[in-house]
Amino acid sequence: MDLISKLARALGPAHVLTGDDTAKYASDWTGTYVGAPLAVIRPANTGEVSAAVKMAAEAGVQIVPISGNTSLAGGTHGPGALMISMERMNRITEIRPAARIAIVEAGVVLSQLHDATAEHDLSFPLTFGARGSAMIGGALSTNAGGSNVLRYGNTRSLCLGLEVVLPSGEVLNLMSALHKDNSGYDLKDLFIGAEGTLGLITGAVLKLVPQPQAYATAMVATPCLDAALTLLNQLQQATGGAVEAFEYMPGEYMDATLAMFPEMRAPFDTRHDVNILVEVGATAARDAVPDGTGAVPIVTLLEQLLSGLFEDGAVLDATVAQSDLQRKQMWARREAAAEVSLGHGPVVNNDIAVPLDKVATFLDLAKTRLAPVAPDATILTVSHLGDGNVHYTVRPKDPQPEVINGIMETVEDIVLSLGGSFSAEHGIGLAKKPSMDRRKDPVALAVMRSIKAALDPDNRMNPGKVLP
Ligand SMILES: Cc1cc2nc3c(=O)[nH]c(=O)nc-3n(C[C@H](O)[C@H](O)[C@H](O)COP(=O)(O)OP(=O)(O)OC[C@H]3O[C@@H](n4cnc5c(N)ncnc54)[C@H](O)[C@@H]3O)c2cc1C
């Protein structure tokens, strides 16, 4: 019996897709990486994943895991491979409010978990624009970041336990709900951020946090990024570290967003170069419950702080959301970023991290040094400024391979000179493999290759990704 027939017998023919039925899995979100897989299977549980991986091993077929397919690094490209989709493994097995944990299957969509935890007044605080499609398995495999990293950390810091199907088909059960466990190497952390190259994540134990009872959200214009950092640090001091998001949108980004989505209104009457979306989340009643005048204390605090900074000239303009609708409108501008930056043909999509106080230097150096490398290129920046992550998208006039390579190398040079990373939150996939080859410490690369060889000696799990 060939592999497809065996899989159909094990999973049911409806869950083994071939030919035209695989079309929606054959292209990544950006449309850059296109290629038909051998087949796509949709297992219902860990046992079926394990059985399928063993069958693929016997047949010598390569495997590409796929969750929400929102990767921005080409991580799900699988021409000729067996793609294993997590979409049917979408059960939230348990929410334990007293322990503040959720036990989930890997195919749970991020927004599905947000809705379920909100019913317990709890939150799984990982969030970003693709939350309606991205799944827990994909978020763990890319160690996704998003806009709340400042307060809650990235996906890795929100995970207590993991279940993984190894390339051999064995099930590695690390489904611990423990906050402390020093019994040997922390294997869980190996698979988080491995982009499916070491095994297939099938389940996780996730940390939950109290759901904010009120938000203070504002658009703020500052004269420069240094002034924005003053705002951030004063606000952290005043709120005990309750700033959830601190997002930077330059004037050019605002122009491009409003041109693409004219229904979104400009945040201010005047155009500003430095626009910040700031959000503070209040969990305590003393900050969240309206006073006798109807004012919400956390909002009053933000307004007072902004007005003090306005007097000092550190804030040029500000508008504080007065309703949930206004808050959503503010977020809509930021969450349009992937479409605005990547939606117009070939770009070099840099996803870099530098220390917070080096973001302005990075932007200045990049502008100067890219001018001769890619003359007249269109540059769009949007940044999770609160954690030093800059999405720096360069659209060259002449997208020849040597120009694209020149842009990547120039950005990498600057980033490394500032003590930064060429990959902050989207991962390596295929898109950042040249950077990995050039810039990753060779000893670190050798250790990674040893780990890969030990777990996946036949190079069958997401081959060709991450490691040059
Ligand atoms: C509009 C938009 C906004 C975004 N914003 C952000 C952002 O702010 N921050 C951020 O970090 N990312 C962001 N991303 C990128 C992307 O959403 C994240 O990387 C997300 O975590 C990927 O999840 P997914 O379920 O779509 O994974 P997929 O795209 O399906 O897979 C991603 C990678 O993980 C592997 N994989 C998938 N499932 C598994 C599994 N179960 N086991 C092992 N490996 C697996 C895949 O092979 C692939 O290499 C954004 C993307 C879009 C389209």
Side-chain angles (χ1 to χ4, degrees):
M1 228 191 324
D2 70 5
L3 176 62
I4 305 295
S5 317
K6 276 189 190 167
L7 288 166
R9 209 157 82 168
L11 274 67
H15 303 301
V16 180
L17 311 179
T18 52
D20 290 349
D21 292 342
T22 65
K24 81 166 182 175
Y25 307 86
S27 169
D28 76 325
W29 189 88
T30 67
T32 310
Y33 301 97
V34 182
L38 170 71
V40 179
I41 59 167
R42 302 184 299 195
N45 53 48
T46 303
E48 288 189 1
V49 175
S50 165
V53 169
K54 284 181 186 160
M55 289 176 204
E58 276 166 23
V61 167
Q62 299 183 323
I63 291 171
V64 174
I66 182 164
S67 286
N69 201 17
T70 65
S71 162
L72 297 177
T76 54
H77 188 51
L82 176 68
M83 295 184 94
I84 302 188
S85 163
M86 304 313 294
E87 67 203 69
R88 285 176 70 222
M89 294 184 61
N90 59 0
R91 283 164 293 247
I92 298 175
T93 315
E94 202 179 356
I95 292 180
R96 283 174 28 203
R100 299 244 153 113
I101 56 165
I103 303 176
V104 301
E105 292 183 335
V108 167
V109 173
L110 207 45
S111 59
Q112 177 193 349
L113 185 57
H114 292 163
D115 293 345
T117 53
E119 285 176 21
H120 299 270
D121 255 353
L122 293 170
S123 161
F124 180 63
L126 178 74
T127 189
F128 46 83
R131 62 183 167 274
S133 308
M135 297 173 186
I136 296 302
L140 282 162
S141 300
T142 54
N143 187 26
S147 37
N148 288 356
V149 168
L150 176 62
R151 187 169 190 185
Y152 302 106
N154 47 21
T155 314
R156 173 172 276 123
S157 37
L158 296 168
C159 180
L160 293 173
L162 216 58
E163 181 185 75
V164 182
V165 173
L166 298 175
S168 62
E170 286 170 289
V171 179
L172 175 62
N173 185 341
L174 303 169
M175 289 290 274
S176 153
L178 300 176
H179 289 261
K180 289 184 172 175
D181 181 5
N182 279 349
S183 55
Y185 302 153
D186 191 344
L187 297 178
K188 155 178 72 75
D189 271 347
L190 255 189
F191 296 93
I192 299 175
E195 301 181 43
T197 58
L198 300 179
L200 223 143
I201 295 174
T202 45
V205 182
L206 302 172
K207 283 189 213 168
L208 304 178
V209 300
Q211 168 93 342
Q213 301 301 308
Y215 290 103
T217 310
M219 285 298 306
V220 184
T222 62
C224 58
L225 285 180
D226 281 352
L229 290 185
T230 303
L231 164 65
L232 171 62
N233 291 327
Q234 289 198 9
L235 203 51
Q236 290 288 45
Q237 182 85 20
T239 61
V243 180
E244 303 233 323
F246 201 79
E247 303 288 312
Y248 165 46
M249 290 170 274
E252 292 85 356
Y253 172 80
M254 283 294 178
D255 298 340
T257 304
L258 297 175
M260 192 166 181
F261 300 101
E263 69 280 10
M264 292 185 192
R265 292 198 344 269
F268 308 110
D269 293 337
T270 314
R271 183 189 183 281
H272 293 286
D273 288 335
V274 179
N275 305 277
I276 304 289
L277 169 57
V278 58
E279 181 154 281
V280 187
T283 52
R286 65 170 184 273
D287 299 322
V289 176
D291 63 18
T293 69
V296 178
I298 193 70
V299 177
T300 307
L301 189 147
L302 176 61
E303 285 170 346
Q304 287 169 346
L305 197 120
L306 288 172
S307 114
L309 288 168
F310 184 75
E311 300 287 313
D312 298 343
V315 162
L316 301 175
D317 216 338
T319 164
V320 178
Q322 299 300 326
S323 65
D324 196 45
L325 177 66
Q326 285 183 1
R327 172 179 177 242
K328 286 192 173 119
Q329 286 169 342
M330 289 179 183
W331 273 107
R333 292 185 200 106
R334 172 61 185 85
E335 291 187 337
E339 282 164 87
V340 173
S341 310
L342 308 175
H344 303 277
V347 291
V348 184
N349 179 20
N350 300 285
D351 163 40
I352 67 101
V354 290
L356 271 64
D357 56 352
K358 303 283 185 207
V359 170
T361 313
F362 166 77
L363 293 173
D364 288 345
L365 287 175
K367 194 171 181 183
T368 315
R369 294 198 196 157
L370 280 176
V373 177
D376 302 321
T378 309
I379 294 174
L380 274 187
T381 306
V382 64
S383 160
H384 303 296
L385 181 59
D387 59 42
N389 177 191
V390 182
H391 299 309
Y392 191 79
T393 313
V394 185
R395 177 167 288 111
K397 253 212 152 71
D398 181 22
Q400 297 303 315
E402 58 277 13
V403 176
I404 289 173
N405 212 44
I407 296 169
M408 285 179 83
E409 290 212 38
T410 305
V411 170
E412 289 161 19
D413 280 342
I414 301 167
V415 164
L416 293 190
S417 74
L418 297 174
S421 168
F422 55 82
S423 174
E425 62 173 11
H426 295 160
I428 303 299
L430 290 173
K432 294 289 160 7
K433 259 175 58 173
S435 313
M436 232 7 210
D437 199 16
R438 284 189 289 260
R439 310 294 181 167
K440 194 73 187 174
D441 171 52
V443 180
L445 272 181
V447 173
M448 287 186 204
R449 287 195 177 105
S450 306
I451 293 169
K452 171 78 174 166
L455 288 175
D456 185 18
D458 300 326
N459 190 27
R460 285 188 312 97
M461 286 301 293
N462 217 358
K465 314 289 163 45
V466 181
L467 290 172

